[in-house]
């Protein structure tokens, strides 16, 4: 039996603008997908107890499938199993990340599966190899779409600066709240919407992208020195710029203003592609509790996360 | 008896950025303040039936005053009466504009009072003179603050382009909805907030101002050719940029998304300084009715206006 886990992620600053080469900052969070591989002679079976949604099991050799969510997750896992030529094994998936919420749920399932299956087969892939294979597979399943950020964060953990290249950042852990609107989002649709807007109004969207990139760069020393007040202010500015690109929503604004108002957050913004999905908030001096309460009163699924956590790892046998 | 009226205004594009010299577009709306001057030997009396809030009367010679709102409006009217050395007259004010809502309520009272009182005294001020005197007086009452836009729109009507100079724009009338959050705003406070943000983050705020200015310039041919879809899109982008500057609010976002969603608006944005005050929405193909309903369901005072109306005028005796 071999077990590996990999973390989900949030984007702190810079989503959407990063597609055009400006800087974004992402961080791994302490919600993980865990993949366990067990010998199962003659079969290749995928099961899951919990994809933060519902359990399902899928027999790759037989071809049953039980839900749309399952079908979604299974496409990623199947792609990994095909790529690694997996045989005679059962792959159990557990994830504490909501699917299609912009928290990198598919990337961490792919990364943890690559790590667990390859190790179970006796290979020792480097993190670089895991990240590369995982990114390629995620991209294939998503028909060519997929930034390398999600799989890189699931692999390396910590914080990453993403521009033309991906560079690790040495930043301290941050305690934040994630609020989920409950509305799944479609990354491709949102990315295309923004890129379309840019084609029609380059003289407007380019300076917005530039401002977003400047926010990302400016945030790095602030996070490093623990300047939460200004980090929060930058989150607020970044959120407005994302809203100007059309990727916010009524539900999202409700959460953002609930966090900043009653929640006492120093800053709040959507995270990821938008159009549903999640927001993040940086707690103020009153701490996490009023923020969790304010977001839940605004009908969010809200939970505390630590940003900057460890990447993919093999788990000790239990 | 002499009667004059002057219109309120909305800012279509470019508020806040205009303080730093980029372009803004304002339009006069068909909500007016009407001022009637009647001989009243031995006294100078100000009365009002309705300042879109409550009636009051104020005897300048005696010094009674009945409400904070009245005190607010009276400061402007008193300044005009002192400037024009008014004697032996009663000045009746009527206004259909909510006060302190960002619709230029004080400017149109000042302009209509200047026009009515000066004509009653036998003078014939040009529009240029009315605009100049009114701007100077408004600025004095507001302790040095006050863009010339509000008094210029109240005087000239139509549409104005405001940058370093104020230029009339030849644009067709637009039918729009104004939604009032019910929260009075403090223009000075919002302007200072944005200018402060700019001092601390010039590398972020300057490109945002540039983008706002570019939106204003781009809107002119679109409004001219009646391209409502793209005009609305620019309103949405402009709104997000204003939100990034910190001048939106939970209540404002609720109205903006209600307008864009159930209201079917092609575009919606805050208008004026923000931090309360009003938003404007451009109706979609379903027309005004669903938009009024959606905004009222979101607890706004909502009303239809025509943008581009006539400026100050003397009214026929009735």
């Amino acid at each position: 039996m071999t077990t590996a886990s990999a973390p989900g992620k949030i984007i702190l600053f810079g989503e959407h603008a990063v597609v055009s080469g400006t800087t974004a900052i992402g961080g791994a969070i302490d919600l993980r997908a865990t993949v366990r591989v067990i010998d199962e002679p003659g079969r290749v079976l995928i099961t899951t107890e919990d994809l933060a949604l519902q359990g399902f099991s899928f027999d790759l050799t037989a071809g049953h499938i039980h839900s749309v969510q399952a079908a979604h997750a299974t496409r990623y896992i199947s792609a990994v199993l095909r790529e690694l030529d997996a045989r005679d094994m059962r792959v159990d998936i557990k994830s504490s990340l909501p699917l299609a919420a912009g928290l990198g749920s598919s990337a961490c399932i792919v990364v943890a599966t690559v790590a667990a299956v390859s190790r179970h087969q006796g290979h020792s892939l480097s993190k670089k190899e895991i990240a590369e294979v995982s990114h390629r597979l995620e991209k294939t399943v998503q028909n060519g779409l997929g930034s390398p950020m999600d799989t890189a964060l699931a692999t390396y953990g910590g914080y990453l600066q993403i521009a033309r290249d991906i560079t690790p950042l040495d930043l301290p852990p941050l305690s934040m709240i994630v609020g989920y609107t409950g509305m799944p989002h479609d990354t491709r649709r949102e990315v295309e919407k923004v890129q379309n807007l840019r084609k029609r109004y380059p003289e407007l969207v380019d300076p917005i992208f530039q401002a977003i990139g400047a926010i990302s760069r400016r945030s790095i020393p602030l996070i490093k020195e623990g300047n939460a007040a200004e980090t929060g202010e930058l989150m607020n500015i970044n959120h407005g710029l994302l809203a100007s690109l059309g990727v916010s929503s009524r539900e999202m604004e409700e959460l953002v203003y609930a966090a900043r108002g009653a929640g006492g957050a120093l800053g709040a913004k959507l995270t990821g592609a938008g159009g549903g999905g999640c927001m993040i908030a940086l707690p103020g001096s009153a701490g996490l509790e009023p923020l969790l309460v304010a977001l839940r009163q605004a009908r969010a699924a809200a939970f505390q996360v630590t940003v900057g956590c460890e990447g993919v790892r093999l788990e000790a046998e239990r």
Side-chain angles (χ1 to χ4, degrees), chain A:
Chain A
M1 189 173 82
T2 316
T3 305
S5 74
K9 69 101 206 343
I10 56 166
I11 300 181
L12 283 151
F13 295 104
E15 47 273 269
H16 283 293
V18 71
V19 178
S20 301
T22 62
T23 306
I25 314 287
I29 57 177
D30 58 343
L31 297 176
R32 304 178 76 87
T34 303
V35 173
R36 197 171 53 165
V37 180
I38 301 161
D39 289 330
E40 181 93 14
R43 302 221 291 176
V44 177
L45 185 70
I46 303 168
T47 72
T48 174
E49 290 164 30
D50 178 11
L51 279 170
L53 277 160
Q54 61 186 105
F56 75 101
S57 79
F58 177 55
D59 188 339
L60 259 194
T61 39
H64 300 302
I65 193 142
H66 301 297
S67 79
V68 174
Q69 298 292 355
H72 181 77
T74 306
R75 286 168 65 213
Y76 292 97
I77 303 160
S78 309
V80 175
L81 298 180
R82 267 195 308 277
E83 169 77 15
L84 300 180
D85 195 22
R87 290 160 201 269
D88 306 319
M89 60 175 71
R90 196 178 91 215
V91 180
D92 296 344
I93 317 278
K94 263 171 82 168
S95 172
S96 44
L97 285 150
L99 294 174
L103 300 178
S105 58
S106 61
C108 64
I109 288 174
V110 170
V111 166
T113 308
V114 168
V117 170
S118 61
R119 172 57 68 98
H120 195 76
Q121 292 171 324
H123 306 303
S124 276
L125 299 188
S126 67
K127 285 203 169 172
K128 191 156 183 285
E129 288 168 319
I130 293 175
E132 279 170 6
V133 172
S134 299
H135 173 48
R136 182 162 46 76
L137 289 172
E138 203 191 28
K139 213 166 156 172
T140 308
V141 173
Q142 293 172 359
N143 297 317
L145 197 87
S147 101
M149 171 157 42
D150 289 15
T151 40
L153 278 166
T155 307
Y156 299 107
Y159 293 88
L160 296 176
Q161 172 175 333
I162 304 98
R164 301 283 175 202
D165 296 309
I166 294 185
T167 330
L169 288 171
D170 182 22
L171 298 175
L174 269 180
S175 182
M176 288 190 132
I177 299 291
V178 171
Y180 179 36
T181 57
M183 315 188 72
H185 71 165
D186 180 338
T187 299
R188 176 188 290 269
R189 189 171 157 263
E190 300 304 316
V191 168
E192 283 175 355
K193 201 162 75 178
V194 171
Q195 290 299 316
N196 254 326
L197 197 71
R198 188 189 185 207
K199 250 177 241 150
R200 288 185 299 125
Y201 304 107
E203 82 281 20
L204 306 180
V205 174
D206 283 339
I208 294 172
F209 280 4
Q210 290 312 314
I212 291 177
I215 288 172
S216 299
R217 291 188 299 276
R218 175 126 185 190
S219 75
I220 298 170
L222 296 176
I223 299 172
K224 190 163 242 165
E225 68 203 27
N227 187 336
E230 287 190 30
T231 304
E233 211 160 32
L234 293 183
M235 288 170 69
N236 293 341
I237 300 174
N238 195 161
H239 177 74
L241 295 175
L242 287 164
S244 79
L245 299 173
V247 296
S248 189
S249 65
R250 188 177 63 75
E251 294 80 6
M252 181 63 77
E253 294 299 333
E254 231 178 290
L255 301 192
V256 162
Y257 281 93
R260 293 180 192 164
L266 296 171
K269 68 180 274 292
L270 72 83
T271 186
C278 291
M279 50 78 73
I280 52 174
L282 192 62
S285 54
L288 299 166
E289 205 44 49
L291 196 43
L292 283 168
V293 170
L295 287 170
R296 285 170 185 159
Q297 277 179 347
R299 294 181 298 282
F303 37 91
Q304 191 264 326
V305 296
T306 302
V307 187
C309 288
E310 199 187 349
V312 68
R313 65 178 178 228
L314 291 163
E315 303 286 349
E317 311 267 314
R318 274 168 296 182

